[in-house]
Amino acid sequence: ENPDGTVSVKAAPGMEGDYVADIMGPDGKKLASIPFHVEPQIDASKIKLGGDSIDGVVKKDRPTTFEIDTSEAGKGPFTASPYEPDTVKNGGIPGVGDKNGPKSPNEEDTDVKVAVIGPNGEPVDCTVVDKGDGKFDVQYQPTKEGPHKVVVTGNDDLVPGAPVPVEVFPNGDASKCKATGPGIEPRGLVAGKPGTFKVDATRAGDGDVEVIVTSPNPKFDADVKVTKRGNGIFDCEYNPSLKGPYEVKVLFAGEEIPGSTFGVQVAPNMNAEKVIVNGKGLKKGFAKKPNKFTVNPNGAEGALNFDVEGPSKCDIDVQDNGDGTVTVAYTPQEPGEYTVNVTLDGAQAPGGPFHPLIEEAQPSDASKVKLDGDGIGNNVKTGVPSTIKIDASEA
């Protein structure tokens, strides 16, 4: 009831479509019928995000932008605005709080809401610009480094991918960095020997170096060590244990430096190439049971090393066979894919690393045990040694 004697009516239909509002008098008689049509609400699941802040590199104290596309999220036009800072601080937004949580009294009632949240949960100022055609630009300038979040909602429901994690990097200039050293030269490295290089960032400003080394085996990347020497010099080292083509990506403050990505061809380690590795345990096996393989150095000189990585820790037992070979047995506790490394002085043996698939152990099946030997049958004689061979490999 309004002060001027009129009455305002607010309805919230649950579905789109055509409706009729019947106005009834005090005596129950219909005074009027008012038809109206209800459009569907915005569909948050069909809102798309893109742009520098989502797909690119974001840096401290530099303006950045991302786009919100609602063109396929319903029949607009739709409206968009930032969440009020107090709403963010009070946890009144989904993804970082509760969409039914406390809202600022100044909160705008728009179809799309946006918030950028800093490393300590603080709101970052942002503006929303309507570009038309259902698309909006969101602009902000982070003042801190570290992990941020971008929250976008449609009708208080999170859009796909939100909250979007955004890493804000130092405001360094990767174009002013220079990398030198054998570790990024096209040729010269040998499997098992470290590749080293340095990055000179003395003129690049604030930032850190990140190195990503991709090996010929997509499941096995080389470990990388980066040491900050001081005054903008970074020492980098990685150990290419496999022969073949490598890619070395070098980044400073989140961006690739000039020349990156570097292609490096690693030559085989001729000593490690002599090693022969075979056995069922290199391809498949069972959890909580020993899985075996044999290693033959085949004249190679150096330190052999065996390592198994995967979903669980593995006990490893090495048995000297007395003929120059060894049998390695590893016992994983959980099923899954494992990585078996057989290295000689840091270089992988031919065929490695191996990736056996470990399954749940099955109950033993006595019907699949095979017996053989002269100790079975009708030709066994008293006083004469006889032998029975028991093969339970498939049981």
Side-chain angles (χ1 to χ4, degrees):
E1 294 184 3
N2 301 317
D4 60 0
T6 63
V7 176
S8 297
V9 180
K10 186 176 182 179
M15 297 177 63
E16 64 177 296
D18 294 317
Y19 289 78
V20 175
D22 291 332
I23 310 300
M24 314 300 291
D27 56 0
K29 293 182 179 180
K30 185 187 297 184
L31 300 178
S33 293
I34 304 174
F36 63 97
H37 181 76
V38 175
E39 296 287 352
Q41 291 182 328
I42 191 168
D43 186 348
S45 68
K46 294 182 180 179
I47 296 176
K48 299 176 183 178
L49 306 180
D52 291 343
S53 297
I54 306 299
D55 307 314
V57 175
V58 179
K59 294 197 173 185
K60 175 187 172 185
D61 296 327
R62 289 192 192 178
T64 186
T65 303
F66 67 91
E67 182 184 77
I68 303 172
D69 184 352
T70 66
S71 60
E72 298 179 2
K75 186 176 180 181
F78 297 120
T79 56
S81 66
Y83 278 104
E84 285 291 322
D86 286 344
T87 300
V88 177
K89 294 176 183 177
N90 295 332
I93 63 174
V96 292
D98 183 358
K99 70 178 182 180
N100 297 317
K103 299 284 193 299
S104 166
N106 300 321
E107 195 70 62
E108 285 188 69
D109 185 15
T110 55
D111 302 295
V112 176
K113 303 292 292 186
V114 185
V116 180
I117 302 171
N120 299 315
E122 71 279 8
V124 177
D125 289 341
C126 63
T127 58
V128 178
V129 179
D130 189 345
K131 301 196 298 181
D133 298 328
K135 297 180 180 179
F136 303 86
D137 273 346
V138 180
Q139 302 169 346
Y140 68 98
Q141 182 170 311
T143 58
K144 294 182 179 179
E145 302 170 19
H148 287 59
K149 294 179 182 178
V150 170
V151 178
V152 180
T153 62
N155 194 33
D156 276 340
D157 292 324
L158 287 169
V159 307
V164 180
V166 176
E167 185 69 23
V168 176
F169 292 93
N171 193 7
D173 187 350
S175 69
K176 294 182 179 179
C177 294
K178 184 178 181 180
T180 56
I184 55 172
E185 294 296 327
R187 296 187 180 277
L189 294 188
V190 177
K193 306 298 181 182
T196 61
F197 62 95
K198 72 175 183 178
V199 177
D200 184 345
T202 53
R203 299 185 301 110
D206 190 20
D208 287 317
V209 168
E210 179 185 5
V211 179
I212 302 172
V213 179
T214 304
S215 79
N217 186 328
K219 296 181 180 179
F220 186 84
D221 290 337
D223 292 332
V224 179
K225 180 181 179 182
V226 178
T227 303
K228 190 173 184 178
R229 194 195 306 172
N231 60 26
I233 302 296
F234 297 80
D235 293 324
C236 308
E237 180 179 316
Y238 65 98
N239 186 11
S241 62
L242 291 171
K243 63 181 179 181
Y246 283 70
E247 290 186 345
V248 181
K249 180 182 289 187
V250 183
L251 304 99
F252 180 78
E255 294 181 303
E256 285 195 71
I257 71 170
S260 181
T261 299
F262 301 92
V264 179
Q265 183 69 31
V266 175
N269 184 312
M270 301 312 296
N271 196 35
E273 289 292 305
K274 298 177 183 178
V275 179
I276 300 173
V277 187
N278 53 47
K280 291 182 178 180
L282 300 174
K283 296 182 179 180
K284 62 180 181 179
F286 295 98
K288 299 180 181 179
K289 290 190 175 184
N291 301 283
K292 300 180 180 181
F293 60 90
T294 302
V295 180
N296 182 0
N298 195 31
E301 297 180 355
L304 277 170
N305 186 65
F306 315 106
D307 177 56
V308 181
E309 303 171 350
S312 69
K313 183 180 178 181
C314 296
D315 293 328
I316 300 177
D317 179 67
V318 181
Q319 178 180 341
D320 189 340
N321 297 326
D323 58 359
T325 67
V326 295
T327 297
V328 181
Y330 65 96
T331 306
Q333 300 302 310
E334 301 290 339
E337 186 178 70
Y338 285 73
T339 298
V340 175
N341 299 303
V342 180
T343 59
L344 182 78
D345 291 337
Q348 290 278 348
F354 306 91
H355 301 285
L357 182 61
I358 302 300
E359 301 176 351
E360 288 280 8
Q362 302 296 318
S364 299
D365 186 350
S367 68
K368 293 184 179 180
V369 176
K370 300 175 183 178
L371 304 180
D372 194 10
D374 57 15
I376 297 175
N378 299 322
N379 296 321
V380 181
K381 297 180 180 179
T382 58
V384 178
S386 300
T387 301
I388 301 174
K389 296 180 180 180
I390 303 173
D391 182 359
S393 61
E394 298 179 1

